[in-house]
């Protein structure tokens, strides 16, 4: 009876007592069930988990399989065998198995039956067979254990070197184009893995292009996202350099603060962020005097450069028109046409539309007296209606400021227009306003040459008998009381004079020197006639007089 055949160990730690190449799984499968015996000092528990055999495992070695005690196949020393003169290895699990209770020697075949020499063969077939390599490549045949045959370590080294050469060969074939779309050579070992030389699948050009597009999108997203994040963290820190280029028209609205102007400049692409512009403006006292209007700036300017250009009057795209006191509607429209380039017929058509220009109802549809004398900035995109509307609005604002009741506004404007036409100085205006009040109170006709000239569409300081015979309601020689409306556009001083006339009992006045505006006032007709002679003397002294 032969000695019991111990369990083979895995890999390079195979037991020196077991030179046989019989797989351990086959041997263990034929063992009868035994209760687990735990080592001393160690808790009994589930069996240790077996190591999974990967494709890179060595597998069983080819060659004839030797049986224990077979002298035909001498076994070379195994690397894991103990060296001579060394103490024996500690007892393992095999040595702790209990002996047979009858004291007889263990039989290698007891409880096992005949162990086949070749995995998968019939149990009675115990003869030596040359092992086929393909039979040992199946991991199931060894139960996940690596078994070294009797071939020794020399064959193992050669096989490892052979497999490395085979992998390099397959890699060369793949790079040279012998593999296409996952096809393999007929002699390629099955299983794949890192040791099988499986070729990598070639990527299509479309996939490469899509990958590059995705990468470019990620880079762009990071760039612009980072820029936006910086803008959120420090929204006012960015600034361009230099004076910019091109031309950008920017409108500054009435009531805009410096921050409002800065945001407008950012929206129009003039500056990069509000911060640098506001910082520069806060150190420049003149920045608070930026006027509303349209400015010709440039694209991508620094904050300081944009501020400097806004403070330059030449950058403002505006036509400034000054309407002086006493001008009639007809004279005002002609002035606007000349100054702004707007055709006169367009202005006249708009002036005839009370709703378009916002004329108040108490004006009775007559524009005269409501084009307030002031300086107006007409911008390139201003319409004729917008220009005239702003002048009417300015008149209402003046009357509101002077607290003139709406019911009295037409009368006040009519008187103020006469005062504006007859007097030259604020002092004389208040005295002329008193003369009007005294004559109206006495029921005397006003008999004013300015009203006659307005009725005749003339200008000047004198009238003829024919002019004074005009039946127009504006002719104060013919009709008593005030005319139906203003004869011109009075200024604020004339309105104030009407609201607060100078105290006095004058009934007459005449300008004796139109060059200087000197005016004489009289209480009686005789006194007034003496003053008229002085005026006639001035007329004779004039060329052609």
């Amino acid at each position: 009876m032969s000695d019991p055949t111990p369990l083979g160990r895995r890999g390079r730690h195979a037991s020196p007592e077991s030179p046989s190449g019989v797989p351990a799984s086959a041997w263990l499968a034929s063992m009868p069930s035994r209760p687990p015996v735990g080592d001393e000092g160690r808790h009994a528990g589930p069996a240790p988990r077996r190591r999974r055999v990967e494709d890179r495992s060595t597998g069983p070695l080819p060659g004839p399989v030797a049986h224990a005690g077979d002298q035909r196949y001498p076994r070379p020393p195994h690397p894991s065998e103990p060296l001579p003169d060394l103490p024996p290895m500690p007892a393992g699990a095999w040595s702790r198995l209990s002996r047979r209770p009858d004291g007889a020697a263990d039989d290698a075949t007891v409880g096992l039956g005949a162990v086949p020499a070749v995995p998968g063969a019939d149990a009675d077939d115990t003869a030596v067979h040359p092992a086929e390599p393909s039979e040992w490549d199946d991991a199931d045949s060894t139960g996940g254990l690596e078994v070294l045959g009797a071939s020794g370590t020399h064959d193992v080294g050669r096989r490892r070197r052979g497999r490395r050469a085979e992998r390099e060969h397959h890699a060369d074939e793949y790079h040279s184009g012998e593999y296409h779309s996952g096809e393999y050579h007929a002699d390629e070992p099955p299983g794949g893995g890192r040791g099988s030389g499986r070729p990598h699948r070639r990527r299509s050009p479309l996939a490469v292009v899509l990958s590059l597009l995705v990468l470019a999108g990620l880079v762009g997203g990071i760039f612009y996202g980072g820029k936006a994040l910086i803008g959120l963290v420090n929204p006012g820190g960015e600034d361009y350099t230099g004076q910019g280029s091109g031309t950008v028209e920017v409108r500054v609205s009435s009531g805009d603060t410096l921050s409002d102007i800065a945001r407008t400049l950012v929206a129009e692409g003039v500056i990069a962020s509000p911060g640098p512009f506001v910082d520069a403006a806060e150190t420049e006292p003149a920045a608070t005097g930026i006027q509303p209007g349209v400015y010709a700036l440039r694209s991508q300017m620094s904050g300081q450069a944009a501020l400097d250009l806004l403070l330059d009057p030449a950058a403002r795209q505006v036509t400034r028109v000054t309407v002086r006191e006493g001008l009639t509607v007809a004279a005002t429209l002609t002035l606007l046409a000349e100054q702004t380039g707007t055709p006169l017929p367009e202005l006249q058509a708009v002036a005839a539309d009370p709703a378009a220009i916002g004329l108040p109802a108490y004006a009775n549809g007559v524009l005269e007296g409501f084009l307030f004398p002031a300086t107006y900035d007409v911008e390139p995109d201003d319409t004729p209606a917008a220009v005239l509307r702003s002048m009417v609005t300015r008149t209402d604002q003046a009357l509101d400021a002077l607290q003139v009741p709406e019911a009295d506004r037409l009368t006040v404007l009519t008187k103020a227009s006469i005062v504006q036409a007859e007097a030259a100085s604020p002092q004389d205006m208040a005295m002329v306003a008193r003369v009007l009040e005294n004559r109206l109170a006495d029921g005397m006709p006003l008999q004013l040459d300015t009203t006659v000239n307005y009725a005749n569409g003339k200008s000047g300081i004198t009238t003829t008998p024919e002019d004074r015979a005009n039946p127009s309601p504006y002719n104060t020689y013919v009709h008593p009381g005030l005319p139906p409306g203003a004869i011109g556009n009075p200024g604020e001083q004339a309105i104030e004079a009407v609201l607060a006339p100078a105290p006095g009992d004058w009934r007459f006045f005449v300008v004796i020197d139109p060059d200087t505006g000197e005016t004489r006032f009289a209480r009686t007709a005789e006194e007034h006639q003496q003053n008229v002679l002085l005026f006639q003397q001035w007329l004779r002294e004039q060329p052609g007089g």
Side-chain angles (χ1 to χ4, degrees):
M1 182 177 294
S2 61
D3 294 334
T5 303
L7 293 172
R9 295 186 181 181
R10 300 178 61 187
R12 62 186 180 88
H13 297 292
S15 172
E17 291 87 6
S18 180
S20 174
V22 178
S25 60
W27 187 85
L28 289 174
S30 61
M31 287 283 292
S33 300
R34 295 183 183 183
V37 179
D39 294 340
E40 294 181 1
R42 184 174 64 182
H43 296 286
R49 190 174 180 179
R50 294 178 179 179
R51 183 171 61 86
R52 181 180 175 182
V53 178
E54 298 179 356
D55 292 335
R56 63 175 177 269
S57 60
T58 59
L61 300 179
V65 180
H67 292 278
D70 195 339
Q71 299 300 322
R72 292 178 301 168
Y73 298 93
R75 180 177 57 84
H78 196 274
S80 62
E81 291 183 358
L83 298 175
D85 303 327
L86 290 178
M89 295 179 64
W94 179 261
S95 62
R96 288 195 293 271
L97 292 177
S98 59
R99 295 288 182 177
R100 295 178 56 176
D102 55 1
D106 289 334
D107 193 330
T109 61
V110 174
L112 293 175
V115 178
V118 178
D122 186 74
D124 296 332
D125 187 5
T126 59
V128 176
H129 296 277
E132 295 296 334
S134 61
E135 296 178 359
W136 298 103
D137 285 345
D138 187 2
D140 292 338
S141 64
T142 62
L145 299 178
E146 298 173 327
V147 179
L148 296 178
S151 301
T153 60
H154 300 288
D155 289 342
V156 173
R158 285 196 301 270
R159 285 184 173 276
R160 289 179 178 174
R161 288 192 295 273
R163 278 193 293 271
R164 281 197 299 269
E166 184 179 5
R167 286 197 298 268
E168 294 174 358
H169 171 69
H170 285 302
D172 292 340
E173 290 179 343
Y174 172 71
H175 288 296
S176 63
E178 294 186 11
Y179 287 107
H180 300 284
S181 304
E183 297 179 357
Y184 305 99
H185 291 286
D187 58 350
E188 180 184 352
R194 200 169 55 177
S196 65
R198 175 182 293 179
H200 297 287
R201 192 177 297 272
R202 179 179 298 176
R203 295 185 178 180
S204 66
L206 179 60
V208 174
V209 172
L210 291 177
S211 300
L212 292 177
L213 290 177
V214 171
L215 180 60
L218 289 175
V219 173
I222 293 173
F223 174 77
Y224 289 105
K227 186 176 181 180
L229 181 60
I230 293 175
L232 292 175
V233 175
N234 186 17
E238 295 186 62
D239 193 13
Y240 296 124
T241 58
Q243 299 297 317
S245 60
T247 301
V248 180
E249 289 189 352
V250 177
R251 174 180 290 276
V252 176
S253 301
S254 179
D256 278 357
T257 64
L258 292 175
S259 297
D260 294 335
I261 297 174
R263 284 188 288 269
T264 301
L265 296 178
V266 172
E268 296 293 338
V270 175
I271 61 176
S273 61
F277 175 84
V278 174
D279 292 342
E282 288 177 349
T283 60
E284 176 58 62
T288 58
I290 297 176
Q291 297 298 312
V294 178
Y295 292 82
L297 303 180
R298 291 184 285 272
S299 178
Q300 297 188 358
M301 305 178 69
S302 67
Q304 182 65 55
L307 175 64
D308 294 341
L309 201 52
L310 283 173
L311 296 177
D312 185 359
R316 192 176 180 196
Q317 302 299 294
V318 64
T319 301
R320 179 161 292 183
V321 181
T322 299
V323 179
R324 62 181 178 85
E325 292 85 348
L327 287 181
T328 62
V329 169
T332 302
L333 296 180
T334 300
L335 178 64
L336 290 173
E338 293 174 353
Q339 296 289 325
T340 65
T342 305
L344 181 60
E346 291 186 15
L347 292 168
Q348 292 172 339
V350 172
D353 186 357
I357 59 179
L359 194 65
Y362 61 85
N364 297 326
V366 180
L367 182 58
E368 197 72 75
F370 288 88
L371 298 180
F372 194 80
T375 298
Y376 296 92
D377 293 331
V378 181
E379 298 169 357
D381 54 351
D382 285 345
T383 63
V387 175
L388 297 182
R389 189 185 305 115
S390 66
M391 301 175 75
V392 172
T393 301
R394 183 67 181 84
T395 299
D396 273 340
Q397 292 173 349
L399 296 174
D400 289 340
L402 295 172
Q403 299 180 353
V404 179
E406 186 172 321
D408 298 338
R409 290 188 175 186
L410 181 58
T411 300
V412 170
L413 288 176
T414 301
K415 291 179 179 179
S417 67
I418 295 173
V419 170
Q420 187 75 65
E422 295 286 354
S425 67
Q427 183 180 359
D428 289 345
M429 287 180 182
M431 296 176 69
V432 170
R434 174 52 64 186
V435 170
L436 295 180
E437 296 297 331
N438 291 338
R439 291 175 76 94
L440 290 173
D442 294 344
M444 297 174 59
L446 296 179
Q447 295 181 337
L448 299 170
D449 290 343
T450 52
T451 62
V452 173
N453 285 332
Y454 182 80
N456 288 279
K458 295 172 59 176
S459 62
I461 56 176
T462 61
T463 60
T464 64
E466 291 78 12
D467 294 338
R468 293 189 291 270
N470 189 330
S472 169
Y474 286 89
N475 186 352
T476 57
Y477 279 90
V478 176
H479 303 283
L482 291 172
I487 63 173
N489 297 292
E492 192 167 357
Q493 289 180 337
I495 297 174
E496 291 175 345
V498 170
L499 295 176
D505 55 356
W506 309 288
R507 299 299 191 273
F508 306 93
F509 67 91
V510 63
V511 179
I512 64 174
D513 189 347
D515 292 335
T516 62
E518 183 181 354
T519 303
R520 296 287 181 92
F521 293 85
R523 295 175 177 86
T524 64
E526 292 78 13
E527 186 180 358
H528 174 62
Q529 190 60 37
Q530 295 298 319
N531 295 332
V532 171
L533 293 175
L534 295 175
F535 172 63
Q536 293 174 350
Q537 180 64 32
W538 180 87
L539 288 175
R540 287 191 296 267
E541 293 175 355
Q542 301 306 310

